Amino acid sequence: MISNSKYLSENIRDMSQDFLVSVVVLNYNAGELLLNCIKSIKKSTYKNLEIIVVDNISNDNSHEICKKEFPEIKLIQNGKNLGYCGGNNVGIKEAKGKFIAILNPDTTVEPNWIDELISAYNEFGEGLYQPKILSLNEENIIQSTGNMLHVFGFGFARDKGNKVTDKTEEIEKIGYASGTCLFTSREVVNRVGLLDEFLFLYHDDLDLGWRAAHIGINSYYVPKSKIYHVESYSLKWSSKKFYWLERNRKYCLLTHYSKETYDKMRFSLVLVDLFVWTFYFSKGFLGAKIKAELEIRKHKEDIKKKYVELEKRKTITDRELIRNFPDEIFVPINVSQESMNQTFNSILAKLSRKVKEKI
């Protein structure tokens, strides 16, 4: 005999085939990668799709070529480069689907990717979901099995660079869903809000997941849904990328933590910042760090306004969230040497544990 809950779950899953899914692909000079991405989406076993390509004034004509090859897609051409956040928000606002998937143009997807994400949503409810992200160019190399958030505002992809194994994986709660491929419902978007356009690009997904967690909406990793990704096809690991990462990390710390929490963390944040300054200097990116700090000071009033807005919405305390944050972070070898990673993580872990005791 089937239990009522099981019957209900199966019934919902059957009904979900009728739900429109809007796939938003933001393009900026992605070239042939964009075409390959749309081709793979078209092969999805889930057919009730709306594909929206938003173009941030590409000069390689990739968006026009894509529209010519796939006339059924909806193409939106922005008048200027709105960044990752603004560009995707344009697509989200235009989306008609019950479900929305944000997908990078430098990805390809496995045919059942949406089926598995919807199945997970039906099982776990309102949340932000990401698939297993694998490297498009390196065989059997993982890019993310879920993104994690550290108490000092660092975000990182779990298992990045590791080889795929045959271990059994289950759907599990994570820090935040990767913006490379982020799946949710229109209801969740309405509750959490759009991507924060101040961030422009990088840590936008971290911010979204953090905002969601503070109102009781979790993020999940769905291993049976798989996509393949070319990492950082536009900026790669550059001074410009490090600028956005550091600027936005500082912004998130100042907007997400209550003043009480931030005051308890202040000394540890100063110590972490000294290490970050050293790291940026060693990489020749000192200018990027200085620029990031100046931008935060420049937008002090905007940050204050955002802080007040988020504090009013919180239903889950900083203390409740922080206790689940990992104490260490993962830094790819192509960013920093292993010896520096070990030293940094050793310091970070000690400071993280002390902060958790205080809060």
Side-chain angles (χ1 to χ4, degrees):
M1 183 176 178
I2 300 174
S3 68
N4 287 338
S5 61
K6 185 177 180 183
Y7 173 79
L8 201 58
S9 176
E10 289 179 352
N11 192 37
I12 290 171
R13 188 171 289 109
D14 290 339
M15 287 170 59
S16 71
Q17 297 298 316
D18 297 327
F19 296 143
L20 177 66
V21 176
S22 299
V23 182
V24 178
V25 180
L26 179 64
N27 180 57
Y28 180 66
N29 295 322
E32 193 174 347
L33 290 170
L34 175 63
L35 296 176
N36 293 337
C37 177
I38 304 303
K39 282 177 189 174
S40 71
I41 296 171
K42 295 289 291 179
K43 293 177 183 175
S44 299
T45 52
Y46 193 97
K47 297 302 181 184
N48 195 4
L49 298 177
E50 171 190 45
I51 303 174
I52 303 171
V53 174
V54 182
D55 188 73
N56 269 344
I57 60 166
S58 296
N59 54 31
D60 66 353
N61 296 322
S62 52
H63 54 299
E64 294 174 356
I65 295 168
C66 186
K67 179 64 175 176
K68 188 175 180 179
E69 184 160 341
F70 304 102
E72 67 277 16
I73 68 170
K74 183 169 187 177
L75 175 64
I76 303 172
Q77 295 179 267
N78 291 331
K80 62 178 181 178
N81 187 347
L82 300 176
Y84 176 91
C85 298
N88 273 308
N89 283 346
V90 168
I92 293 168
K93 289 174 186 176
E94 286 292 320
K96 301 294 189 295
K98 174 182 172 63
F99 294 105
I100 298 169
I102 298 172
L103 186 67
N104 276 14
D106 56 339
T107 61
T108 60
V109 300
E110 290 204 345
N112 70 336
W113 70 297
I114 290 178
D115 301 273
E116 294 296 342
L117 290 166
I118 289 180
S119 177
Y121 195 101
N122 287 339
E123 183 175 352
F124 291 90
E126 287 192 334
L128 305 174
Y129 293 79
Q130 77 154 83
K132 175 181 278 189
I133 304 174
L134 303 166
S135 173
L136 187 61
N137 297 328
E138 301 169 279
E139 190 174 356
N140 292 325
I141 296 297
I142 296 167
Q143 284 199 3
S144 175
T145 60
N147 282 15
M148 306 303 289
L149 172 61
H150 191 272
V151 68
F152 297 122
F154 300 105
F156 63 96
R158 196 172 54 174
D159 290 326
K160 189 181 179 74
N162 292 344
K163 287 190 174 181
V164 175
T165 66
D166 57 1
K167 70 175 182 178
T168 301
E169 294 180 283
E170 302 293 336
I171 298 168
E172 60 179 308
K173 195 164 85 168
I174 54 175
Y176 63 100
S178 171
T180 300
C181 179
L182 191 153
F183 179 88
T184 191
S185 67
R186 169 61 67 183
E187 288 92 337
V188 168
V189 172
N190 290 340
R191 286 187 61 195
V192 179
L194 295 167
L195 296 163
D196 188 336
E197 296 189 17
F198 175 85
L199 297 170
F200 198 72
L201 75 163
Y202 294 118
H203 283 340
D204 36 75
D205 47 5
L206 180 152
D207 168 76
L208 188 73
W210 204 341
R211 276 191 277 140
H214 264 306
I215 60 172
I217 296 174
N218 296 319
S219 296
Y220 297 92
Y221 163 61
V222 185
K224 289 183 180 179
S225 176
K226 298 176 185 176
I227 71 162
Y228 302 85
H229 178 227
V230 177
E231 188 178 20
S232 298
Y233 77 95
S234 57
L235 287 182
K236 302 191 184 298
W237 289 106
S238 63
S239 174
K240 199 170 183 179
K241 180 171 181 175
F242 277 110
Y243 156 72
W244 287 113
L245 287 170
E246 182 61 4
R247 169 192 183 267
N248 294 346
R249 179 181 76 90
K250 286 294 190 75
Y251 175 81
C252 287
L253 288 172
L254 290 166
T255 54
H256 287 284
Y257 285 136
S258 70
K259 284 185 168 53
E260 183 184 5
T261 299
Y262 197 91
D263 285 343
K264 290 178 180 177
M265 295 175 61
R266 195 176 295 276
F267 180 69
S268 294
L269 285 168
V270 169
L271 293 179
V272 169
D273 217 32
L274 286 173
F275 203 98
V276 173
W277 275 102
T278 303
F279 170 78
Y280 272 66
F281 180 78
S282 71
K283 300 296 289 185
F285 295 156
L286 188 59
K289 173 63 172 167
I290 293 170
K291 185 181 176 184
E293 294 290 340
L294 291 174
E295 273 287 296
I296 292 298
R297 290 172 184 262
K298 178 182 174 182
H299 292 279
K300 188 166 55 177
E301 290 305 312
D302 295 325
I303 291 169
K304 184 178 178 181
K305 184 179 177 182
K306 191 68 178 181
Y307 165 81
V308 171
E309 176 193 325
L310 295 185
E311 279 299 301
K312 286 178 180 177
R313 301 189 65 207
K314 280 184 183 178
T315 59
I316 307 295
T317 65
D318 293 336
R319 181 186 178 89
E320 288 176 85
L321 292 187
I322 285 171
R323 67 187 180 191
N324 295 317
F325 289 175
D327 291 317
E328 295 186 359
I329 66 170
F330 174 81
V331 183
I333 290 178
N334 64 336
V335 175
S336 179
Q337 294 178 349
E338 189 174 351
S339 58
M340 182 175 279
N341 288 347
Q342 290 174 349
T343 302
F344 183 49
N345 262 320
S346 176
I347 295 169
L348 209 60
K350 289 176 184 176
L351 292 174
S352 175
R353 286 191 286 269
K354 285 183 178 180
V355 162
K356 288 176 180 179
E357 288 173 6
K358 284 184 179 180
I359 297 171

